[in-house]
């Protein structure tokens, strides 16, 4: 089982093309905080990324990708010394997903911005487990990552029929390729959902919970399925991801139910059975404790919000 793909799917992560910055000479553009994760791809040239107040600066080269999982306010610039004022038109273009043309000379830097949104009511998140800034340099030998960046650049430089469909697919692929390139270079992600990837035993446990969430799992039965003691699993599971097996299973069941309530018209009784509840009333009580409203109210609100 691909746990990362599983969580990305349930949390509804989806990418959308944003602004394209084409700049030369001296230039700078401030970008406001947003609810989506933002990813910048330097297709050509160089740029500086400033995050925070006062900003902490990072130089980006061609092929580099920088992901800001929480969408904080930040700055893209030719240099940290360039003032950020006087770019209202550029900011509006960024918000509209248009081409931003900046600078005092012909463009020699091109940056593509991608927004990744998700269902924020789902509590098991990959993006939420990431640090404020995830940076992967191009040309590091990560063939899938570098190939995806190059394909994005080619599609943008030479538009052809069906290009929008290709780009929309590539932006989702790029997020996965970014994580594949970044995760092996990082210290253990203990205490977040990504901690599951660092401990084979915990990974095996989570794979079983995801494969059959309706099974009446207990810590003892899960440990037996993994051929380890209950004490071992009780110690290593929360050490890796900050939750007990029972708490994680309860959260995952409610996430699966919430996703089905928002995205399907399956009967509540069917959803309850799929996540391990023998009766709709028992499921309704558990869901109300988790989400603060009944499944029916949640479904109505979710349908309205998505429209």
């Amino acid at each position: 089982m691909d746990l990362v793909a599983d969580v990305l799917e349930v949390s509804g992560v989806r990418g959308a093309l944003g602004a394209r910055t084409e700049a030369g000479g001296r230039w700078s553009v401030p970008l406001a905080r947003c609810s989506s994760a933002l990813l910048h791809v330097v297709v050509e040239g160089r740029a500086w990324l400033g995050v925070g107040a006062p900003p902490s600066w990072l130089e980006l080269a061609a092929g580099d990708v920088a992901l800001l999982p929480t969408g904080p306010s930040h700055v893209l610039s030719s240099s940290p010394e360039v003032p950020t004022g006087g770019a209202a038109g550029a900011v509006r273009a960024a918000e509209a997903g248009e081409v931003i043309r900046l600078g005092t000379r012909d463009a020699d830097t091109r940056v593509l911005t991608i927004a990744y949104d998700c269902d924020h009511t789902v509590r098991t998140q990959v993006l939420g487990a990431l640090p404020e800034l995830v940076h992967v340099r191009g040309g590091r030998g990560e063939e899938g990552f570098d190939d995806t960046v190059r394909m994005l650049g080619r599609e943008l430089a030479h538009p052809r029929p069906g290009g929008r469909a290709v780009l929309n697919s590539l932006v989702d692929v790029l997020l996965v390729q970014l994580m594949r390139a970044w995760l092996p270079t990082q210290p253990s992600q203990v205490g977040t959902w990504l901690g599951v990837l660092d401990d084979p035993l915990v990974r095996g446990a989570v794979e079983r919970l995801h494969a059959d969430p309706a099974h009446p799992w207990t810590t003892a039965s899960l440990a037996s399925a993994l051929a380890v003691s209950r004490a071992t699993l009780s110690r290593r599971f929360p050490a890796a991801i900050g939750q007990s097996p029972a708490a994680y299973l309860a959260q995952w069941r409610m996430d699966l139910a919430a996703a089905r309530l928002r995205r399907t018209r399956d009967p509540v009784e069917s959803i309850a059975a799929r996540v391990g509840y023998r009766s709709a009333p028992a499921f309704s009580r558990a869901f109300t404790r988790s989400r603060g409203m009944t499944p029916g109210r949640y479904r109505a609100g979710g349908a309205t919000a998505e429209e």
Side-chain angles (χ1 to χ4, degrees):
M1 174 174 287
D2 188 338
L3 292 176
V4 172
D6 208 21
V7 173
L8 288 174
E9 180 180 357
V10 171
S11 58
V13 175
R14 53 196 179 277
L17 290 170
R20 290 169 53 192
T21 301
E22 299 184 356
R26 289 171 58 82
W27 57 274
S28 183
V29 58
L31 299 170
R33 173 177 291 278
C34 69
S35 60
S36 301
L38 292 178
L39 182 145
H40 298 298
V41 185
V42 182
V43 177
E44 181 182 349
R46 307 183 78 83
W48 285 83
L49 172 67
V51 182
S56 176
W57 292 96
L58 172 69
E59 187 176 17
L60 305 175
D64 283 14
V65 173
L67 174 68
L68 301 166
T70 61
S73 58
H74 58 286
V75 178
L76 285 175
S77 177
S78 60
S79 167
E81 285 75 36
V82 177
T84 59
V91 174
R92 286 194 296 271
E95 292 172 347
E98 300 172 352
V99 175
I100 305 171
R101 293 185 172 88
L102 299 169
T104 56
R105 296 201 306 265
D106 290 343
D108 56 11
T109 293
R110 291 174 173 81
V111 181
L112 172 65
T113 299
I114 300 166
Y116 291 97
D117 204 358
C118 65
D119 182 347
H120 296 280
T121 67
V122 172
R123 294 172 184 170
T124 310
Q125 298 276 357
V126 171
L127 292 178
L130 297 172
E132 182 181 52
L133 173 62
V134 175
H135 174 221
V136 175
R137 294 203 178 278
R140 296 173 55 254
E142 298 285 346
E143 293 184 359
F145 174 79
D146 291 335
D147 288 346
T148 304
V149 173
R150 283 193 290 268
M151 289 177 68
L152 278 167
R154 285 197 297 269
E155 288 294 327
L156 292 168
H158 306 288
R160 292 185 294 175
R164 175 64 62 170
V166 172
L167 288 168
N168 285 339
S169 297
L170 286 175
V171 298
D172 291 331
V173 171
L174 182 61
L175 179 62
V176 176
Q177 296 288 12
L178 172 74
M179 294 188 62
R180 285 179 176 177
W182 178 78
L183 281 169
T185 69
Q186 301 303 303
S188 175
Q189 303 297 308
V190 167
T192 75
W193 184 87
L194 292 173
V196 71
L197 304 178
D198 293 324
D199 187 325
L201 173 62
V202 176
R203 182 180 186 129
V206 173
E207 285 175 347
R208 282 168 170 77
L209 298 180
H210 281 216
D212 192 1
H215 185 79
W217 293 108
T218 64
T219 302
S221 66
L222 187 57
S224 177
L226 296 165
V228 298
S229 70
R230 183 184 185 281
T232 297
L233 184 61
S234 296
R235 182 181 72 254
R236 287 173 58 175
F237 199 104
I241 65 172
Q243 292 176 287
S244 68
Y248 183 85
L249 177 59
Q251 175 178 289
W252 183 243
R253 284 172 167 172
M254 292 300 102
D255 284 343
L256 291 173
R260 286 194 167 273
L261 286 167
R262 288 175 72 92
R263 302 170 198 170
T264 76
R265 289 298 174 220
D266 293 351
V268 171
E269 292 78 4
S270 173
I271 295 173
R274 290 179 71 98
V275 296
Y277 287 85
R278 295 184 178 181
S279 73
F283 166 71
S284 181
R285 289 192 295 272
F287 190 88
T288 301
R289 286 195 301 270
S290 172
R291 293 301 194 266
M293 64 183 74
T294 65
R297 282 188 59 198
Y298 182 88
R299 166 170 273 170
T304 301
E306 291 192 347
E307 291 170 1

